[in-house]
Amino acid sequence: MNYVKVSDEVQVALNEGKPVVALESTIISHGFPYPQNVELAFKVEEVIREQGAVPATIAILDGKICVGLSEDEINLLGKSPEAYKASIHDIPMILSNKGIGATTVAATIYGAHLAGIRFFATGGLGGVHYGVTESNDISADLPTLAKYKICVVSAGVKSILDIPKTVEYLETLGVPCYGYETDKYPSFYTRDAGIPVEKINKESLVKLLKTQDQMDLNYGVSVVVPIPEEDELDSEMINNTIEEALQEANEKNITGKKVTPFLLAKIKEKTKGVSVNANFALMINNAKTAAIIAKEYCEK
């Protein structure tokens, strides 16, 4: 496909059957301010390399879906106010205009699929928003995950979302969800959302994925990893903070793509930056876990 540009490092790894882990780029352009965003992006790539895998950060640049970014390209995304928060349905518009697009989970899944990458690490999935019966606001991440054979490693869905409804909707879509060495579905900033999940280890997961490869079952697999215990936030504090932020967003009639950045900014403000440190920790942990799984998968 003329619209895809895979970096030499990523292409060589794919050709040689080495482990590759895809990464989204909205965490760079819309997740944190500069230079924290760029520092996190480099740290996540470093952690993946330390585990013997190759990172493939994905973004839309110069009319191409770029799979594997240079340091300059990551810095460009980190500094650019024009970077568009690109979901899967935005890709043709951004490509045709040769704009800068930072890929969400949905767009990154599609880019990884085009490049032939099996694993993707992210912070949290999008999902079903509170008040869905009135707004019908459900992230494109979920139906996209149901369409492409990608193993997505995350800390669950973003805590600002309706977690029980999101987990139920994933089941409706036919997307299996497994807890990596846990039987408790995490709540992003905390380790337990009060929802059970099927526990799985590295060996069993790889065996499952290899079996799926031999079948005509083209859906993603959601693997959830709890935030490290030492970085977990107090559940009552974070839940109260999220509830206040949701109420303020509703009062200000903030909707659509503006909701998530508004809520994250409010949570950061109300927790005096502690939520940012937790977000960093879980993203690094997810990337490390995805690289470990990807390496085991390739060695088998």
Side-chain angles (χ1 to χ4, degrees):
M1 184 184 286
N2 292 334
Y3 290 111
V4 181
K5 176 187 172 186
V6 181
S7 73
D8 291 342
E9 180 189 22
V10 172
Q11 192 60 63
V12 168
L14 290 170
N15 292 345
E16 295 179 354
K18 293 179 179 177
V20 178
V21 177
L23 298 165
E24 63 167 291
S25 49
T26 51
I27 200 167
I28 305 172
S29 63
H30 295 81
F32 305 98
Y34 182 84
Q36 282 180 307
N37 51 3
V38 171
E39 290 169 3
L40 177 60
F42 290 145
K43 179 61 180 176
V44 168
E45 290 203 346
E46 180 187 339
V47 165
I48 289 172
R49 287 195 172 94
E50 285 172 354
Q51 300 305 318
V54 173
T57 303
I58 296 176
I60 303 172
L61 300 166
D62 300 321
K64 301 280 186 183
I65 299 172
C66 298
V67 182
L69 303 184
S70 67
E71 289 189 11
D72 286 344
E73 288 169 334
I74 288 174
N75 271 297
L76 173 65
L77 279 167
K79 294 177 180 179
S80 176
E82 294 105 31
Y84 195 88
K85 188 177 181 182
S87 189
I88 190 165
H89 55 269
D90 301 308
I91 292 174
M93 180 270 291
I94 299 168
L95 287 174
S96 61
N97 291 328
K98 294 193 173 180
I100 299 174
T103 55
T104 61
V105 168
T108 306
I109 287 173
Y110 180 65
H113 162 75
L114 292 178
I117 298 172
R118 191 71 167 91
F119 296 91
F120 167 32
T122 185
L125 296 175
V128 178
H129 285 253
Y130 285 105
V132 67
T133 51
E134 289 79 31
S135 68
N136 289 318
D137 194 349
I138 300 175
S139 171
D141 294 356
L142 305 187
T144 305
L145 183 54
K147 287 177 64 176
Y148 300 106
K149 197 181 287 187
I150 307 290
C151 177
V152 181
V153 178
S154 72
V157 299
K158 295 182 178 74
S159 57
I160 56 176
L161 303 171
D162 191 324
I163 297 175
K165 282 189 173 65
T166 303
V167 172
E168 184 62 37
Y169 191 61
L170 280 171
E171 183 178 341
T172 300
L173 291 172
V175 176
C177 183
Y178 301 99
Y180 191 73
E181 298 180 349
T182 182
D183 60 1
K184 297 178 177 65
Y185 195 95
S187 179
F188 199 73
Y189 293 118
T190 65
R191 294 171 62 83
D192 184 5
I195 302 168
V197 66
E198 188 170 347
K199 185 177 181 178
I200 201 165
N201 60 25
K202 178 178 66 176
E203 291 75 17
S204 297
L205 176 59
V206 167
K207 187 176 180 181
L208 178 156
L209 294 172
K210 289 287 187 179
T211 302
Q212 186 194 11
D213 290 344
Q214 299 171 38
M215 307 176 76
D216 186 24
L217 293 170
N218 294 313
Y219 52 72
V221 174
S222 174
V223 176
V224 293
V225 184
I227 185 172
E229 199 168 350
E230 62 271 21
D231 300 298
E232 181 179 23
L233 301 186
D234 178 78
S235 59
E236 185 177 355
M237 179 273 291
I238 195 65
N239 288 337
N240 289 339
T241 300
I242 290 168
E243 191 174 329
E244 290 171 12
L246 284 166
Q247 186 175 343
E248 187 173 343
N250 186 53
E251 289 169 355
K252 293 183 176 179
N253 200 29
I254 295 170
T255 59
K257 290 184 177 182
K258 295 179 180 179
V259 172
T260 297
F262 172 81
L263 292 176
L264 291 177
K266 280 294 173 184
I267 292 167
K268 176 186 174 183
E269 176 189 321
K270 291 177 184 292
T271 62
K272 298 180 180 178
V274 175
S275 64
V276 174
N277 296 333
N279 214 330
F280 270 49
L282 67 84
M283 183 62 221
I284 290 166
N285 189 51
N286 294 346
K288 179 181 178 180
T289 303
I292 289 169
I293 298 167
K295 186 177 180 182
E296 176 79 7
Y297 174 89
C298 290
E299 288 177 350
K300 297 294 182 184

